[in-house]
Amino acid sequence: MNVRRSFFPAALAGALAVQASLHVWFAVSHSATFDEPSYIAAGMALWTTGVDRQMFVHPPLAKRVAGFAALVAGADPAGAGDDRMGAVVLYRTNAGRAGRLLLAARLATMLAALALTIAVASWAREWWGDGAGALAAWLLAVEPNTLAHGGLATTDIWLTLWLILYARTLWSFLEGSGHRCPRETGGALAGLALGTKFSALAFIPAITVAMAAAVAARGRTVAPLKRLLRAAPRTLFVAALVLFAIYALQIRVFEPGYGRGGPGSWWPIGLTERPDLFLRLGLGWVARYARTGVPAFFLGAVREGRLPAYFPVVFALKVPLGLIGLAVLAVGWRLSVRRFGIRELGLALAFLAIFASVAASRLHVGLRHVHPAVVLAVLLAASLVGPGLPSPRWRRALALAGWLWSATTAGRCAPHFLASFNELAGGPGGGWRYLADSNLDWGQDLPALARWCRDRGVTSLPLIYFGVADPGWYGVPVSAENPESRDWRGGLVAISVSYLDGTLTNDLERFGWARALTPVARPGWSIHVYQAPPRPRPPRSTRARAGTAPGSRPRATAPPAPPPPPRR
């Protein structure tokens, strides 16, 4: 066997095996996040009725995938079209198989994450050789943010996959490397991205302009830009066709009563009811949401409005320093020896364009919104071991050290990869002091809390939880006591980080009494358990006026349910 020829396939296969194992470990260890039940319910509604009335804020493609996986796994779609949050369908209608349905929907996203690794590794190999392809595969296989969102039934990994494939196809067109039908392929990939998430409306032009500018700047000619403009009509036409198919075509095989009305009822394809509602309502809602935004916990304070530094800082705190270091080293080394070519320039400009496209955003809910930048950083890091640079042994040693550092970062929080932070933030235990929301807490750690309660014999625990998952389904012994009541006698209490950090209440002081305490446990890192002292009781006369008899204990009540946060 030719060892040189078998190196890359073996390295890629090993990376995929490790990545798949870590994805599954993450998926089976966590409860449904805030968004997942609604994705699954909306997807089932799309398959059975052709209409998604409860979650039009996102295009249908990823929801269709999640809903299809759940239906194949045996889901009962009854009531899916009316369940805005999805929790009723998942934890009541399908209570006996909720875990299986959630895992099935997550497995579909895992396939997208593995396809992303194959695409990135192949791209790096094409440009810089087998070593670069292997390094890219292994860096992505242990990148904790990719592992987390690649194990959830949401949109972010799907969007990254389409955008990376689009960027590679675009470059082949600009470079004139002879790929077949780059205009049509690029249009199809752009349509898939637009059918997955509305943020593609910003990312696709940003990547296109950045890569075209790189080619034009290096060649000192506008010929690539002219070619791009000439190809635009055909590319846009194909993208529009794909987008129309995603929105308007309804595969009817899951409709109740399909095929029971005779041969005329067997036609499997139809049109959805008012598909224009998706575009008008979806885009309109996103536009309003983008103008108003939501409060964000950022660097120790609740902030609103435009935060241009948000996503660069999140990237610096969430992405492993080993990966960041390799990318910076690769760029710096190539610049120092004047080997920073047009390809590296295109990737660097696309990386910067991702951040520039969200600089004016008012939506600051997590690194996942700029996840394509993480993959572009992986490609830049992989170029370190490419040809044309001196000291190949040193470069290989540095690449290995950077990968080991990245793997250690992921291992420190495994399998709770969503809570991963690098050393700048103090690791997973320190990240909650800087960031919240889907950077750390998306409602995913009920199983970890249930295990902690079982291991310590806790049979009743007040819980202030961010999420739509059912704590009882996962075995959390939730108490009806209200820890925010002045009549609470103290004791153990569990609070989600998104409440501690004021993300959901826009009030950092509301749970200041808990933030001042040292948690006795942090199951999964996103839920803190405190041993709280009794709250100060009001004077006797105040209690009497309030209608509480001296010495009596008020009836325990459940914590007030906060209004659900707006859709992310």
Side-chain angles (χ1 to χ4, degrees), residues 219-257:
R220 297 182 180 179
T221 176
V222 296
L225 300 178
K226 291 181 178 179
R227 292 183 62 221
L228 192 62
L229 290 174
R230 287 197 299 268
R234 185 180 298 184
T235 301
L236 292 174
F237 176 73
V238 174
L241 284 180
V242 172
L243 195 59
F244 175 81
I246 292 172
Y247 271 102
L249 293 186
Q250 161 65 1
I251 310 300
R252 300 176 52 243
V253 294
F254 287 106
E255 284 185 0

mmCIF file of all heavy atoms in Angstrom, residues 219-257:
data_model
loop_
_atom_site.group_PDB
_atom_site.id
_atom_site.type_symbol
_atom_site.label_atom_id
_atom_site.label_comp_id
_atom_site.label_asym_id
_atom_site.label_seq_id
_atom_site.Cartn_x
_atom_site.Cartn_y
_atom_site.Cartn_z
ATOM 1 N N GLY A 219 -4.593 40.465 -8.793
ATOM 2 C CA GLY A 219 -4.366 40.526 -10.232
ATOM 3 C C GLY A 219 -4.345 41.925 -10.791
ATOM 4 O O GLY A 219 -4.001 42.139 -11.963
ATOM 5 N N ARG A 220 -4.696 42.907 -9.940
ATOM 6 C CA ARG A 220 -4.753 44.304 -10.360
ATOM 7 C C ARG A 220 -5.579 44.467 -11.640
ATOM 8 O O ARG A 220 -5.182 45.150 -12.568
ATOM 9 C CB ARG A 220 -3.347 44.864 -10.556
ATOM 10 C CG ARG A 220 -2.516 44.885 -9.283
ATOM 11 C CD ARG A 220 -1.157 45.482 -9.514
ATOM 12 N NE ARG A 220 -0.378 45.497 -8.271
ATOM 13 C CZ ARG A 220 0.872 45.950 -8.182
ATOM 14 N NH1 ARG A 220 1.480 46.442 -9.247
ATOM 15 N NH2 ARG A 220 1.499 45.918 -7.032
ATOM 16 N N THR A 221 -6.718 43.791 -11.632
ATOM 17 C CA THR A 221 -7.615 43.861 -12.778
ATOM 18 C C THR A 221 -9.041 43.690 -12.292
ATOM 19 O O THR A 221 -9.286 43.055 -11.253
ATOM 20 C CB THR A 221 -7.290 42.773 -13.810
ATOM 21 O OG1 THR A 221 -8.251 42.816 -14.856
ATOM 22 C CG2 THR A 221 -7.299 41.395 -13.174
ATOM 23 N N VAL A 222 -9.962 44.252 -13.040
ATOM 24 C CA VAL A 222 -11.375 44.122 -12.684
ATOM 25 C C VAL A 222 -12.047 43.020 -13.493
ATOM 26 O O VAL A 222 -13.269 42.869 -13.431
ATOM 27 C CB VAL A 222 -12.113 45.460 -12.914
ATOM 28 C CG1 VAL A 222 -11.571 46.530 -11.997
ATOM 29 C CG2 VAL A 222 -12.014 45.894 -14.383
ATOM 30 N N ALA A 223 -11.260 42.253 -14.235
ATOM 31 C CA ALA A 223 -11.840 41.183 -15.050
ATOM 32 C C ALA A 223 -12.657 40.190 -14.221
ATOM 33 O O ALA A 223 -13.763 39.803 -14.634
ATOM 34 C CB ALA A 223 -10.743 40.462 -15.830
ATOM 35 N N PRO A 224 -12.174 39.733 -13.038
ATOM 36 C CA PRO A 224 -13.002 38.808 -12.233
ATOM 37 C C PRO A 224 -14.341 39.422 -11.825
ATOM 38 O O PRO A 224 -15.361 38.727 -11.762
ATOM 39 C CB PRO A 224 -12.124 38.509 -11.013
ATOM 40 C CG PRO A 224 -10.737 38.776 -11.469
ATOM 41 C CD PRO A 224 -10.853 39.922 -12.429
ATOM 42 N N LEU A 225 -14.323 40.740 -11.536
ATOM 43 C CA LEU A 225 -15.566 41.388 -11.156
ATOM 44 C C LEU A 225 -16.546 41.425 -12.323
ATOM 45 O O LEU A 225 -17.758 41.233 -12.142
ATOM 46 C CB LEU A 225 -15.284 42.806 -10.655
ATOM 47 C CG LEU A 225 -14.362 42.909 -9.433
ATOM 48 C CD1 LEU A 225 -14.127 44.370 -9.069
ATOM 49 C CD2 LEU A 225 -14.947 42.165 -8.245
ATOM 50 N N LYS A 226 -16.032 41.654 -13.522
ATOM 51 C CA LYS A 226 -16.892 41.648 -14.700
ATOM 52 C C LYS A 226 -17.473 40.263 -14.929
ATOM 53 O O LYS A 226 -18.656 40.121 -15.271
ATOM 54 C CB LYS A 226 -16.108 42.117 -15.915
ATOM 55 C CG LYS A 226 -15.716 43.596 -15.882
ATOM 56 C CD LYS A 226 -14.950 43.989 -17.141
ATOM 57 C CE LYS A 226 -14.602 45.472 -17.121
ATOM 58 N NZ LYS A 226 -13.821 45.871 -18.333
ATOM 59 N N ARG A 227 -16.650 39.221 -14.761
ATOM 60 C CA ARG A 227 -17.148 37.849 -14.918
ATOM 61 C C ARG A 227 -18.237 37.556 -13.897
ATOM 62 O O ARG A 227 -19.223 36.881 -14.188
ATOM 63 C CB ARG A 227 -16.009 36.848 -14.757
ATOM 64 C CG ARG A 227 -14.972 36.877 -15.872
ATOM 65 C CD ARG A 227 -13.918 35.810 -15.660
ATOM 66 N NE ARG A 227 -14.531 34.486 -15.683
ATOM 67 C CZ ARG A 227 -14.199 33.506 -14.849
ATOM 68 N NH1 ARG A 227 -13.303 33.715 -13.909
ATOM 69 N NH2 ARG A 227 -14.767 32.329 -14.952
ATOM 70 N N LEU A 228 -18.037 38.062 -12.696
ATOM 71 C CA LEU A 228 -19.018 37.831 -11.643
ATOM 72 C C LEU A 228 -20.336 38.502 -11.981
ATOM 73 O O LEU A 228 -21.422 37.930 -11.787
ATOM 74 C CB LEU A 228 -18.467 38.352 -10.318
ATOM 75 C CG LEU A 228 -19.210 37.948 -9.041
ATOM 76 C CD1 LEU A 228 -19.175 36.454 -8.853
ATOM 77 C CD2 LEU A 228 -18.597 38.653 -7.837
ATOM 78 N N LEU A 229 -20.277 39.718 -12.478
ATOM 79 C CA LEU A 229 -21.498 40.429 -12.841
ATOM 80 C C LEU A 229 -22.212 39.755 -14.007
ATOM 81 O O LEU A 229 -23.448 39.684 -14.039
ATOM 82 C CB LEU A 229 -21.166 41.885 -13.189
ATOM 83 C CG LEU A 229 -20.738 42.768 -12.006
ATOM 84 C CD1 LEU A 229 -20.301 44.140 -12.499
ATOM 85 C CD2 LEU A 229 -21.862 42.888 -10.990
ATOM 86 N N ARG A 230 -21.441 39.251 -14.965
ATOM 87 C CA ARG A 230 -22.073 38.550 -16.090
ATOM 88 C C ARG A 230 -22.747 37.264 -15.644
ATOM 89 O O ARG A 230 -23.767 36.852 -16.202
ATOM 90 C CB ARG A 230 -21.026 38.258 -17.166
ATOM 91 C CG ARG A 230 -20.583 39.482 -17.967
ATOM 92 C CD ARG A 230 -19.879 39.060 -19.246
ATOM 93 N NE ARG A 230 -18.678 38.279 -18.969
ATOM 94 C CZ ARG A 230 -17.457 38.803 -18.838
ATOM 95 N NH1 ARG A 230 -17.286 40.121 -18.981
ATOM 96 N NH2 ARG A 230 -16.414 38.037 -18.598
ATOM 97 N N ALA A 231 -22.168 36.613 -14.640
ATOM 98 C CA ALA A 231 -22.732 35.348 -14.160
ATOM 99 C C ALA A 231 -23.887 35.551 -13.186
ATOM 100 O O ALA A 231 -24.632 34.605 -12.903
ATOM 101 C CB ALA A 231 -21.639 34.523 -13.475
ATOM 102 N N ALA A 232 -24.048 36.770 -12.664
ATOM 103 C CA ALA A 232 -25.034 37.013 -11.615
ATOM 104 C C ALA A 232 -26.458 36.650 -12.017
ATOM 105 O O ALA A 232 -27.176 36.015 -11.220
ATOM 106 C CB ALA A 232 -24.956 38.465 -11.156
ATOM 107 N N PRO A 233 -26.939 37.015 -13.221
ATOM 108 C CA PRO A 233 -28.337 36.678 -13.543
ATOM 109 C C PRO A 233 -28.627 35.185 -13.485
ATOM 110 O O PRO A 233 -29.648 34.778 -12.910
ATOM 111 C CB PRO A 233 -28.501 37.232 -14.967
ATOM 112 C CG PRO A 233 -27.513 38.330 -15.057
ATOM 113 C CD PRO A 233 -26.328 37.872 -14.258
ATOM 114 N N ARG A 234 -27.750 34.369 -14.056
ATOM 115 C CA ARG A 234 -28.000 32.928 -14.021
ATOM 116 C C ARG A 234 -27.910 32.399 -12.590
ATOM 117 O O ARG A 234 -28.713 31.554 -12.175
ATOM 118 C CB ARG A 234 -26.995 32.204 -14.914
ATOM 119 C CG ARG A 234 -27.271 30.699 -15.020
ATOM 120 C CD ARG A 234 -26.273 29.993 -15.911
ATOM 121 N NE ARG A 234 -26.330 30.502 -17.289
ATOM 122 C CZ ARG A 234 -25.613 29.995 -18.285
ATOM 123 N NH1 ARG A 234 -24.793 28.978 -18.058
ATOM 124 N NH2 ARG A 234 -25.719 30.495 -19.497
ATOM 125 N N THR A 235 -26.924 32.874 -11.838
ATOM 126 C CA THR A 235 -26.782 32.428 -10.456
ATOM 127 C C THR A 235 -28.012 32.787 -9.631
ATOM 128 O O THR A 235 -28.542 31.962 -8.864
ATOM 129 C CB THR A 235 -25.527 33.056 -9.828
ATOM 130 O OG1 THR A 235 -24.381 32.684 -10.589
ATOM 131 C CG2 THR A 235 -25.339 32.587 -8.395
ATOM 132 N N LEU A 236 -28.481 34.008 -9.768
ATOM 133 C CA LEU A 236 -29.660 34.441 -9.023
ATOM 134 C C LEU A 236 -30.907 33.685 -9.446
ATOM 135 O O LEU A 236 -31.770 33.375 -8.616
ATOM 136 C CB LEU A 236 -29.862 35.944 -9.205
ATOM 137 C CG LEU A 236 -28.804 36.848 -8.573
ATOM 138 C CD1 LEU A 236 -29.044 38.305 -8.962
ATOM 139 C CD2 LEU A 236 -28.788 36.691 -7.056
ATOM 140 N N PHE A 237 -31.010 33.363 -10.737
ATOM 141 C CA PHE A 237 -32.171 32.608 -11.211
ATOM 142 C C PHE A 237 -32.208 31.218 -10.583
ATOM 143 O O PHE A 237 -33.267 30.760 -10.114
ATOM 144 C CB PHE A 237 -32.128 32.507 -12.733
ATOM 145 C CG PHE A 237 -33.243 31.670 -13.309
ATOM 146 C CD1 PHE A 237 -34.543 32.158 -13.341
ATOM 147 C CD2 PHE A 237 -32.987 30.396 -13.802
ATOM 148 C CE1 PHE A 237 -35.573 31.377 -13.859
ATOM 149 C CE2 PHE A 237 -34.010 29.625 -14.320
ATOM 150 C CZ PHE A 237 -35.305 30.111 -14.350
ATOM 151 N N VAL A 238 -31.057 30.536 -10.558
ATOM 152 C CA VAL A 238 -31.007 29.204 -9.943
ATOM 153 C C VAL A 238 -31.304 29.306 -8.449
ATOM 154 O O VAL A 238 -32.038 28.469 -7.888
ATOM 155 C CB VAL A 238 -29.641 28.551 -10.191
ATOM 156 C CG1 VAL A 238 -29.528 27.232 -9.431
ATOM 157 C CG2 VAL A 238 -29.427 28.307 -11.680
ATOM 158 N N ALA A 239 -30.757 30.312 -7.776
ATOM 159 C CA ALA A 239 -31.025 30.484 -6.342
ATOM 160 C C ALA A 239 -32.510 30.700 -6.094
ATOM 161 O O ALA A 239 -33.078 30.151 -5.132
ATOM 162 C CB ALA A 239 -30.215 31.668 -5.803
ATOM 163 N N ALA A 240 -33.156 31.487 -6.945
ATOM 164 C CA ALA A 240 -34.593 31.734 -6.787
ATOM 165 C C ALA A 240 -35.397 30.458 -6.984
ATOM 166 O O ALA A 240 -36.372 30.207 -6.266
ATOM 167 C CB ALA A 240 -35.043 32.805 -7.779
ATOM 168 N N LEU A 241 -35.004 29.613 -7.952
ATOM 169 C CA LEU A 241 -35.704 28.346 -8.166
ATOM 170 C C LEU A 241 -35.589 27.443 -6.944
ATOM 171 O O LEU A 241 -36.576 26.830 -6.503
ATOM 172 C CB LEU A 241 -35.140 27.637 -9.398
ATOM 173 C CG LEU A 241 -35.555 28.164 -10.769
ATOM 174 C CD1 LEU A 241 -34.891 27.333 -11.868
ATOM 175 C CD2 LEU A 241 -37.078 28.134 -10.931
ATOM 176 N N VAL A 242 -34.381 27.341 -6.403
ATOM 177 C CA VAL A 242 -34.176 26.499 -5.219
ATOM 178 C C VAL A 242 -34.975 27.045 -4.040
ATOM 179 O O VAL A 242 -35.623 26.291 -3.298
ATOM 180 C CB VAL A 242 -32.676 26.413 -4.880
ATOM 181 C CG1 VAL A 242 -32.457 25.708 -3.542
ATOM 182 C CG2 VAL A 242 -31.918 25.690 -5.984
ATOM 183 N N LEU A 243 -34.950 28.353 -3.864
ATOM 184 C CA LEU A 243 -35.681 28.959 -2.753
ATOM 185 C C LEU A 243 -37.185 28.754 -2.907
ATOM 186 O O LEU A 243 -37.889 28.469 -1.921
ATOM 187 C CB LEU A 243 -35.352 30.450 -2.686
ATOM 188 C CG LEU A 243 -35.726 31.192 -1.403
ATOM 189 C CD1 LEU A 243 -35.039 30.561 -0.199
ATOM 190 C CD2 LEU A 243 -35.342 32.658 -1.511
ATOM 191 N N PHE A 244 -37.683 28.856 -4.124
ATOM 192 C CA PHE A 244 -39.103 28.612 -4.362
ATOM 193 C C PHE A 244 -39.470 27.169 -4.011
ATOM 194 O O PHE A 244 -40.499 26.904 -3.384
ATOM 195 C CB PHE A 244 -39.454 28.899 -5.817
ATOM 196 C CG PHE A 244 -40.882 28.566 -6.164
ATOM 197 C CD1 PHE A 244 -41.906 29.446 -5.853
ATOM 198 C CD2 PHE A 244 -41.204 27.360 -6.777
ATOM 199 C CE1 PHE A 244 -43.224 29.140 -6.158
ATOM 200 C CE2 PHE A 244 -42.511 27.047 -7.083
ATOM 201 C CZ PHE A 244 -43.531 27.937 -6.777
ATOM 202 N N ALA A 245 -38.613 26.225 -4.411
ATOM 203 C CA ALA A 245 -38.888 24.819 -4.107
ATOM 204 C C ALA A 245 -38.915 24.581 -2.600
ATOM 205 O O ALA A 245 -39.757 23.830 -2.088
ATOM 206 C CB ALA A 245 -37.837 23.933 -4.777
ATOM 207 N N ILE A 246 -37.988 25.208 -1.869
ATOM 208 C CA ILE A 246 -37.928 25.018 -0.422
ATOM 209 C C ILE A 246 -39.180 25.567 0.247
ATOM 210 O O ILE A 246 -39.746 24.954 1.163
ATOM 211 C CB ILE A 246 -36.669 25.691 0.142
ATOM 212 C CG1 ILE A 246 -35.416 24.955 -0.324
ATOM 213 C CG2 ILE A 246 -36.718 25.752 1.670
ATOM 214 C CD1 ILE A 246 -34.130 25.661 0.018
ATOM 215 N N TYR A 247 -39.636 26.724 -0.204
ATOM 216 C CA TYR A 247 -40.779 27.373 0.427
ATOM 217 C C TYR A 247 -42.114 26.811 -0.045
ATOM 218 O O TYR A 247 -43.035 26.606 0.755
ATOM 219 C CB TYR A 247 -40.747 28.877 0.124
ATOM 220 C CG TYR A 247 -39.956 29.678 1.122
ATOM 221 C CD1 TYR A 247 -38.673 30.116 0.827
ATOM 222 C CD2 TYR A 247 -40.498 30.005 2.355
ATOM 223 C CE1 TYR A 247 -37.948 30.859 1.745
ATOM 224 C CE2 TYR A 247 -39.785 30.749 3.270
ATOM 225 C CZ TYR A 247 -38.510 31.166 2.967
ATOM 226 O OH TYR A 247 -37.794 31.900 3.877
ATOM 227 N N ALA A 248 -42.242 26.587 -1.348
ATOM 228 C CA ALA A 248 -43.575 26.385 -1.918
ATOM 229 C C ALA A 248 -43.947 24.930 -2.152
ATOM 230 O O ALA A 248 -45.133 24.595 -2.117
ATOM 231 C CB ALA A 248 -43.695 27.151 -3.242
ATOM 232 N N LEU A 249 -42.972 24.054 -2.413
ATOM 233 C CA LEU A 249 -43.329 22.675 -2.731
ATOM 234 C C LEU A 249 -43.637 21.899 -1.454
ATOM 235 O O LEU A 249 -42.916 21.981 -0.463
ATOM 236 C CB LEU A 249 -42.195 21.993 -3.493
ATOM 237 C CG LEU A 249 -41.918 22.520 -4.904
ATOM 238 C CD1 LEU A 249 -40.870 21.649 -5.589
ATOM 239 C CD2 LEU A 249 -43.189 22.561 -5.739
ATOM 240 N N GLN A 250 -44.693 21.148 -1.500
ATOM 241 C CA GLN A 250 -45.106 20.332 -0.363
ATOM 242 C C GLN A 250 -45.102 18.866 -0.773
ATOM 243 O O GLN A 250 -45.799 18.472 -1.711
ATOM 244 C CB GLN A 250 -46.511 20.742 0.105
ATOM 245 C CG GLN A 250 -47.243 19.728 0.955
ATOM 246 C CD GLN A 250 -46.566 19.492 2.304
ATOM 247 O OE1 GLN A 250 -45.553 20.098 2.616
ATOM 248 N NE2 GLN A 250 -47.124 18.619 3.097
ATOM 249 N N ILE A 251 -44.280 18.075 -0.112
ATOM 250 C CA ILE A 251 -44.280 16.625 -0.311
ATOM 251 C C ILE A 251 -45.373 16.060 0.585
ATOM 252 O O ILE A 251 -45.287 16.123 1.806
ATOM 253 C CB ILE A 251 -42.909 16.014 0.030
ATOM 254 C CG1 ILE A 251 -41.791 16.791 -0.677
ATOM 255 C CG2 ILE A 251 -42.882 14.548 -0.339
ATOM 256 C CD1 ILE A 251 -41.907 16.789 -2.178
ATOM 257 N N ARG A 252 -46.396 15.472 -0.017
ATOM 258 C CA ARG A 252 -47.642 15.196 0.696
ATOM 259 C C ARG A 252 -47.712 13.818 1.342
ATOM 260 O O ARG A 252 -48.744 13.452 1.890
ATOM 261 C CB ARG A 252 -48.813 15.347 -0.287
ATOM 262 C CG ARG A 252 -48.920 16.740 -0.909
ATOM 263 C CD ARG A 252 -50.029 16.825 -1.938
ATOM 264 N NE ARG A 252 -51.284 16.341 -1.407
ATOM 265 C CZ ARG A 252 -51.936 15.281 -1.886
ATOM 266 N NH1 ARG A 252 -51.428 14.595 -2.903
ATOM 267 N NH2 ARG A 252 -53.072 14.902 -1.348
ATOM 268 N N VAL A 253 -46.640 13.058 1.303
ATOM 269 C CA VAL A 253 -46.737 11.657 1.741
ATOM 270 C C VAL A 253 -47.055 11.534 3.232
ATOM 271 O O VAL A 253 -47.528 10.478 3.671
ATOM 272 C CB VAL A 253 -45.433 10.904 1.409
ATOM 273 C CG1 VAL A 253 -45.249 10.789 -0.087
ATOM 274 C CG2 VAL A 253 -44.219 11.603 2.033
ATOM 275 N N PHE A 254 -46.796 12.581 4.030
ATOM 276 C CA PHE A 254 -47.089 12.513 5.462
ATOM 277 C C PHE A 254 -48.444 13.134 5.808
ATOM 278 O O PHE A 254 -48.821 13.159 6.978
ATOM 279 C CB PHE A 254 -45.986 13.216 6.265
ATOM 280 C CG PHE A 254 -44.692 12.462 6.318
ATOM 281 C CD1 PHE A 254 -43.610 12.887 5.577
ATOM 282 C CD2 PHE A 254 -44.560 11.336 7.098
ATOM 283 C CE1 PHE A 254 -42.407 12.205 5.615
ATOM 284 C CE2 PHE A 254 -43.363 10.636 7.149
ATOM 285 C CZ PHE A 254 -42.284 11.074 6.403
ATOM 286 N N GLU A 255 -49.151 13.656 4.830
ATOM 287 C CA GLU A 255 -50.453 14.258 5.114
ATOM 288 C C GLU A 255 -51.422 13.204 5.636
ATOM 289 O O GLU A 255 -51.450 12.075 5.140
ATOM 290 C CB GLU A 255 -51.031 14.887 3.844
ATOM 291 C CG GLU A 255 -50.403 16.203 3.461
ATOM 292 C CD GLU A 255 -51.105 16.821 2.264
ATOM 293 O OE1 GLU A 255 -52.067 16.206 1.753
ATOM 294 O OE2 GLU A 255 -50.693 17.910 1.849
ATOM 295 N N PRO A 256 -52.225 13.537 6.639
ATOM 296 C CA PRO A 256 -53.244 12.590 7.114
ATOM 297 C C PRO A 256 -54.189 12.215 5.974
ATOM 298 O O PRO A 256 -54.709 13.078 5.271
ATOM 299 C CB PRO A 256 -53.973 13.369 8.213
ATOM 300 C CG PRO A 256 -52.991 14.404 8.657
ATOM 301 C CD PRO A 256 -52.204 14.773 7.438
ATOM 302 N N GLY A 257 -54.380 10.929 5.781
ATOM 303 C CA GLY A 257 -55.278 10.458 4.737
ATOM 304 C C GLY A 257 -54.679 10.423 3.354
ATOM 305 O O GLY A 257 -55.403 10.189 2.367
#
